[in-house]
Amino acid sequence: MIDRLNKSTTTYKTSLLLGTMGFNFLLTGVDVLMAHSQNNFFRWELIPLVFSPLAVLAILARLIFRSNTVVKRVFQTVMWVGVLVGVAGTFFHLTGNATSSSESFYRLLIEGSPVAAPIAFAGISSYALVSEHYRGTARRSKLLILVGLGFLGAVVAAFLDHARLGFIPSYTLIPIVSGTLAVMSCFYIKNQADCMETNIYLSILLLNLLVGILGFGFHVLGDLAGTQSIIWARFLYRNPLLGPLLFCNLSLLGGLSILPESAVMLEESRRKESMVVSST
Amino acid sequence: MQQRTRRMVVIVGIGTILIVSLLYLTYHFIIGPKGLQTSVPTLSAATLGENKACVECHQKENPGIIQQYHDSKHSGSGVQCLDCHKPVKGQETMAKDHYKVSVVVEPSPLNCAQCHKDEVKQFEDSNHAAKSWYSVQGAKNFTPEELAKYHLVDAKGQPINGGAANPVFNLIGNDASAQSCEVCHAIGQKNQDGSFGDCTKCHLRHTFDVAQARQPETCGQCHLGPDHPQIEIYNESAHGAYYQANKDKYNLNAPAGTLTVKDFPTPTCATCHMSAFGSVQGTHDVGLRLNWNLTPETASVRNDGASHQQTMNAVCLNCHAQPFIDDVMSKADKTITLTNQNVKKGKAIVQDLRDTGLLGTKPFGTPLDFLYFELWHHEGRRARFGAVMGGADYVNWNGIYEQQKALVEMQSQADALKAKH
């Protein structure tokens, strides 16, 4: 059964990766919708809200119209725009926290708008671009670098968020340690890895999956504490719901990234590339 | 364990330790509470077009405005000068040509409502809005529609208090009133565009800082003095004493909707009367959690007083047990009733003299008029506010005791008047 599962996922690896990125854009869009609704989507805050559904549509179109060149170009353009959206968002969040006088890094990076959040757009877009464009060990290597960077971003986000509490209680350090383990292991196995190394890597991913689920539980309990009711401002400004789930998401992506490449698909891909080269 | 496996474990392990250590040092020395400072351009530095001209000119003419603006959350969100100062619908008469740009010099709540619609609506329904202005100016400058809209008419559809201006306003005159009563009561001023209110009374421009608005000192700009000494009462109370001693522990900047006892170990004015706290929803209608109407001659329970009290109760429960709350509230009810009884006695003395023609009807014509006025307007209110806000000294020495003393003085003067005639 595992072999059959392996074969089917291998065959549809690209679709699986792109579909997961589409789902990521959807969830990120929902997160941004909630966050930016607090300021009534004032001016620049509309950008990610407009971009997210476009990104989802671009991925869907790419999945459906596999061999259409126009759709491919549109998809790539939208994804590159996503990278710019992520970088611009980081800039906006940082300058949004600034004042006219010298401010502490604490105020700039920890209080105020989450500086580490917008770069997720750049990460998801890059992952989608790599998934679509590359095959074989090149794709595996690049995807693992991106997952590693994703875990690094998640670690930084958790670090800055938990720094607001002064890392009290001490279990707020757990995602920072587990996330860093994941970063190191992603970069370690980005080239070839033997069976044991892969198992260690997968164990670390599993650890992060559990950390994410546990964190989600802690965040929900923290938001409800002392209120016994759902108040959205607390979920937005106190313990964000989707924050811990990022670790689960990255663990899943880490697993998908090391799925074996289909030999048949790989051969077809190489043949197509050589045909393109010879025709030019 | 194979060599490759061992190598992976060592490299990943050491790398993790190094990175986590680096993060710890970064927090401790750079980005933590005792970390470094730096200067980063604000988003508002990237102003465009006409807004750029505003900043360039006013940077030279009134640098304080620009500094405050750059420090504000508005600036951080990309709000620019003309977002607030450009005329909106209804402000045609307010618009001025300012170097070829049409601007509103003093934005009204209509301008704020472009983004803060709910808050403005709640504010409009409150005693801070039209009612505040009416209590000084009377019905002058109010249209019949406005009187009806802001509940400034009695059961017969007539303006409250006959529509007359406040007798103190008449007593001290326009010029004094412009620099005294009207300064505070202008929180509900009538604007040229038909709106009522001035948001900047609490949200001081141009920082419009929420933290500043939440501080009791902000409310204390107006809620002070012999007739409504709420800030004095608060400072005397346990809430106020704790606040004074532990101000730096308060998270005054906490985002709206997230406040808990961790942010506000004891309440400030805003916490009890406005803020979303625990599971209680926030509001800019400052009367929405009040059971009593304490300011008139005779204090009375509001129309929805019981449900208002339930909401206030929910705020109190964050720190106090129900029996404690019930005890305080029931004692306060008794004190308020006592002030009403004292006012009634005073009124009877004055009315008796008026009925027998020994006292004229001209407001503030005799010392007795002042004594009666202060019986409810000063001493009565002080006792009432002290009762509900934990100001023991104000309940007695500044309240009930002063009322009793005034009643004795009034009776003595009344007897003297009767004896003379």
Side-chain angles (χ1 to χ4, degrees), chain A residues 38-40 42-45 91-92 94-112 152 155-156 159-160 163-167 176-178 180-185 188-189 192-194 196-198 200-201 204 225-231 233-235 237-238, chain B residues 1-2 4-5 7-9 11-17 19-20 23-24 26-27 30-33 35-44 48 66-68 70-80 83 114-117 251 253-260 262-263 278-281 318:
Chain A
Q38 295 299 297
N39 284 333
N40 296 313
F42 185 77
R43 202 159 279 147
W44 310 115
E45 294 188 16
F91 163 79
F92 278 126
L94 189 59
T95 55
N97 291 343
T99 64
S100 59
S101 45
S102 182
E103 277 298 337
S104 63
F105 277 105
Y106 186 84
R107 156 102 193 224
L108 287 169
L109 299 176
I110 296 178
E111 292 182 339
L152 185 63
V155 166
V156 170
F159 171 70
L160 292 176
R164 289 187 200 202
L165 309 170
F167 302 103
I176 294 161
V177 174
S178 68
T180 309
L181 277 170
V183 172
M184 293 303 302
S185 54
Y188 187 89
I189 72 154
Q192 287 297 338
D194 66 16
M196 197 60 189
E197 287 169 337
T198 305
I200 293 174
Y201 168 73
I204 291 172
T227 65
Q228 290 81 48
S229 57
I230 294 173
I231 297 168
R234 296 176 63 81
F235 285 95
Y237 293 108
R238 288 292 190 200
Chain B
M1 198 188 273
Q2 287 183 11
R4 276 184 68 145
T5 310
R7 188 176 66 181
M8 181 183 180
V9 170
I11 289 174
V12 168
I14 290 176
T16 301
I17 291 169
I19 290 175
V20 172
L23 286 172
Y24 168 77
T26 305
Y27 174 74
I30 300 175
I31 71 170
L36 302 175
Q37 289 196 334
T38 189
S39 186
V40 174
T42 62
L43 188 61
S44 60
L48 302 166
I66 303 303
Q67 164 128 354
Q68 290 169 10
H70 278 323
D71 287 347
S72 69
K73 285 238 170 74
H74 278 159
S75 147
S77 298
V79 176
Q80 304 201 6
D83 288 320
Q114 292 176 99
C115 299
H116 302 284
K117 204 169 157 185
N251 183 11
N253 273 308
T258 68
L259 273 59
T260 65
K262 282 189 185 162
D263 306 299
S279 58
V280 178
Q281 300 292 329
N318 278 277

Side-chain angles (χ1 to χ4, degrees), chain B residues 201-230:
Chain B
K201 284 291 181 193
C202 299
H203 295 281
L204 301 176
R205 58 189 188 269
H206 279 78
T207 45
F208 307 103
D209 186 11
V210 163
Q212 165 261 306
R214 283 175 177 158
Q215 288 185 274
E217 290 86 347
T218 295
C219 313
Q221 294 176 94
C222 296
H223 286 273
L224 82 171
D227 55 337
H228 37 54
Q230 284 93 343

Side-chain angles (χ1 to χ4, degrees), chain B residues 241-255:
Chain B
Y242 191 98
Y243 169 77
Q244 298 298 332
N246 298 282
K247 227 185 265 194
D248 56 340
K249 290 184 187 160
Y250 282 61
N251 183 11
L252 293 168
N253 273 308

Side-chain angles (χ1 to χ4, degrees), chain B residues 45-87:
Chain B
T47 47
L48 302 166
E50 289 160 345
N51 293 289
K52 195 171 154 93
C54 301
V55 171
E56 280 173 354
C57 176
H58 283 279
Q59 179 71 61
K60 293 175 212 154
E61 298 288 321
N62 322 98
I65 294 177
I66 303 303
Q67 164 128 354
Q68 290 169 10
Y69 160 67
H70 278 323
D71 287 347
S72 69
K73 285 238 170 74
H74 278 159
S75 147
S77 298
V79 176
Q80 304 201 6
C81 313
L82 288 173
D83 288 320
C84 300
H85 283 278
K86 84 168 183 289

Side-chain angles (χ1 to χ4, degrees), chain B residues 131-142 147 159-174 177 181-182 185 363-364 373 376-377:
Chain B
K131 281 181 188 168
S132 176
W133 195 236
Y134 185 94
S135 64
V136 172
Q137 294 268 333
K140 181 180 80 169
N141 301 325
F142 278 78
L147 289 172
I160 294 171
N161 296 332
N166 192 297
V168 176
F169 174 80
N170 291 328
L171 177 72
I172 65 175
N174 272 336
S177 177
C181 313
E182 287 175 44
H185 282 264
F364 299 112
F373 175 75
W376 65 272
H377 194 272

Side-chain angles (χ1 to χ4, degrees), chain A residues 160-213:
Chain A
L160 292 176
D161 270 355
H162 290 175
R164 289 187 200 202
L165 309 170
F167 302 103
I168 295 167
S170 53
Y171 53 73
T172 50
L173 288 167
I174 293 175
I176 294 161
V177 174
S178 68
T180 309
L181 277 170
V183 172
M184 293 303 302
S185 54
C186 283
F187 285 124
Y188 187 89
I189 72 154
K190 69 178 178 64
N191 297 319
Q192 287 297 338
D194 66 16
C195 188
M196 197 60 189
E197 287 169 337
T198 305
N199 284 341
I200 293 174
Y201 168 73
L202 289 173
S203 304
I204 291 172
L205 290 185
L206 183 63
L207 170 68
N208 278 279
L209 182 73
L210 292 172
V211 164
I213 293 168

Side-chain angles (χ1 to χ4, degrees), chain B residues 75-118:
Chain B
S75 147
S77 298
V79 176
Q80 304 201 6
C81 313
L82 288 173
D83 288 320
C84 300
H85 283 278
K86 84 168 183 289
V88 296
K89 189 178 165 190
Q91 291 185 330
E92 293 77 17
T93 54
M94 288 170 77
K96 286 183 170 25
D97 181 74
H98 183 65
Y99 295 98
K100 294 183 186 164
V101 179
S102 181
V103 298
V104 164
V105 174
E106 289 183 20
S108 77
L110 281 189
N111 299 96
C112 306
Q114 292 176 99
C115 299
H116 302 284
K117 204 169 157 185
D118 291 342

Side-chain angles (χ1 to χ4, degrees), chain B residues 381-416:
Chain B
R381 283 183 182 179
R382 290 200 292 256
R384 292 164 189 168
F385 292 129
V388 294
M389 287 175 60
D393 189 66
Y394 280 83
V395 170
N396 182 36
W397 296 118
N398 290 289
I400 303 290
Y401 174 83
E402 291 286 319
Q403 277 194 318
Q404 298 292 357
K405 189 171 148 191
L407 283 170
V408 168
E409 181 62 32
M410 285 174 73
Q411 188 62 61
S412 170
Q413 287 194 20
D415 291 344

